[in-house]
Amino acid sequence: MNRRAFLSALPAALYFGTQASLSWAAGSIERARYHKLLVLVELKGGNDGLNTLIPYADPRYYALRPNLAIARAEVRQLDETRGLHPALEALLPIWQAKELALVQGLGYAEPNLSHFRSIEIWETASSSRDYLPEGWLARAFARHPPPKDFAADGVIIAGGDPGPLAGGARSVALASPAEFQRLARLAQAHGHSANPALRHLLRVEQDIVSAAAKLQGERAFRTAFPASDFGRAVASAAQVAALPGQVAVLRLSLAGFDTHRGQPGTHAKLLRDLAEGLAALRAALLE
């Protein structure tokens, strides 16, 4: 190369070098921002908060709940005024290790009494007067996108709707990583079409194949997962979480909290499933 050719190429070389550095820096910032995994668990229905975190020292709790109140002797006390439902006993070691926080008094102005509308409000983080098409996580990811090489922005485990991931986030739903791999083999990795609808479907299939390729592998855990449906969902979540840096959010759900009748036994079982599942997930993540 002569000097003239070299000097002509130099601005382009500097440009590409700068672009590569900026791209690397942006990628580093993205990875730094998403170096932790967020796990969301939705209790579908209407969980009885007063029988979950119990104000056992307040006489009004027992006066107003003659049939539903948990006996003071059965409450797993956290401090001098509050305690957990006895079915949540599996969470006590996490509390004692100072790795569990309980936040009370969450709500929003002008609460809506409809279950369905309330779910929309929580999932979009909107006011009760606003109707937003995007979930709060989808909006957060639009402002601060997860790394492009992630398998997905979010993974929805064992059914359920996208919730806060709806409206723009790259999300996949799976019952288990192994089942997702099996179904992904039915999708087309390549293809094109002039038809916009078919082109969209092909792009979705290609995204599924790409996600499946990045969610391969199976971890053998020493942790014993509960035999409940939620326990199996937690086991799948642990498998996905064992692939570091591949997703930003895991979303699980536990249904059945509309305990309008027969609450004591039903609520206790649900809370036990929740506590044992979360304790198992924590143990697996610490391996």
Side-chain angles (χ1 to χ4, degrees):
M1 177 184 291
N2 60 34
R3 178 176 293 180
R4 178 172 295 179
F6 173 76
L7 291 175
S8 298
L10 187 57
L14 290 173
Y15 172 77
F16 283 115
T18 304
Q19 285 294 98
S21 298
L22 290 175
S23 176
W24 178 87
S28 299
I29 292 171
E30 286 178 353
R31 289 218 166 263
R33 183 178 288 131
Y34 288 101
H35 71 286
K36 292 184 178 180
L37 174 67
L38 174 64
V39 180
L40 300 176
V41 179
E42 179 186 4
L43 309 183
K44 283 186 171 291
N47 181 45
D48 183 348
L50 288 174
N51 272 17
T52 301
L53 182 59
I54 302 167
Y56 70 89
D58 191 332
R60 292 173 297 177
Y61 168 71
Y62 294 98
L64 296 172
R65 295 188 155 217
N67 299 320
L68 292 178
I70 304 298
R72 181 166 180 155
E74 297 179 6
V75 175
R76 302 304 187 256
Q77 297 182 11
L78 301 178
D79 57 27
E80 296 179 353
T81 61
R82 291 157 297 185
L84 294 177
H85 190 291
L88 293 172
E89 189 164 10
L91 297 181
L92 280 179
I94 307 176
W95 170 265
Q96 292 159 355
K98 301 186 184 302
E99 295 177 358
L100 173 66
L102 301 166
V103 182
Q104 295 180 278
L106 293 177
Y108 55 88
E110 301 178 22
N112 192 293
L113 299 181
S114 163
H115 273 254
F116 304 104
R117 176 63 185 136
S118 292
I119 291 170
E120 287 181 355
I121 293 168
W122 285 113
E123 291 181 344
T124 58
S126 64
S127 75
S128 57
R129 296 181 179 181
D130 294 329
Y131 291 81
L132 302 181
E134 305 91 4
W136 62 269
L137 275 174
R139 296 203 307 277
F141 290 156
R143 292 186 62 185
H144 303 288
K148 292 182 175 61
D149 61 347
F150 271 25
D153 298 340
V155 173
I156 303 158
I157 306 287
D161 54 77
L165 291 163
R170 294 183 306 133
S171 59
V172 296
L174 54 84
S176 70
E179 178 70 4
F180 183 66
Q181 295 291 336
R182 186 185 70 80
L183 294 175
R185 287 195 286 270
L186 303 176
Q188 295 186 36
H190 305 286
H192 58 84
S193 172
N195 184 298
L198 182 55
R199 189 163 60 246
H200 171 73
L201 291 175
L202 289 171
R203 187 164 57 248
V204 169
E205 289 196 32
Q206 291 161 10
D207 288 344
I208 290 173
V209 172
S210 175
K214 296 174 181 177
L215 292 174
Q216 287 184 356
E218 186 171 353
R219 169 81 176 272
F221 291 102
R222 297 187 301 275
T223 299
F225 294 97
S228 63
D229 288 343
F230 186 66
R232 285 184 283 274
V234 163
S236 294
Q239 286 291 342
V240 176
L243 303 170
Q246 293 300 309
V247 297
V249 177
L250 294 178
R251 172 173 159 81
L252 299 86
S253 59
L254 178 57
F257 282 87
D258 275 329
T259 51
H260 294 288
R261 58 182 179 179
Q263 171 168 311
T266 302
H267 195 226
K269 181 184 182 306
L270 288 167
L271 292 182
R272 186 172 295 107
D273 286 349
L274 174 68
E276 292 177 353
L278 292 179
L281 179 59
R282 171 182 176 268
L285 293 177
L286 290 175
E287 288 188 17

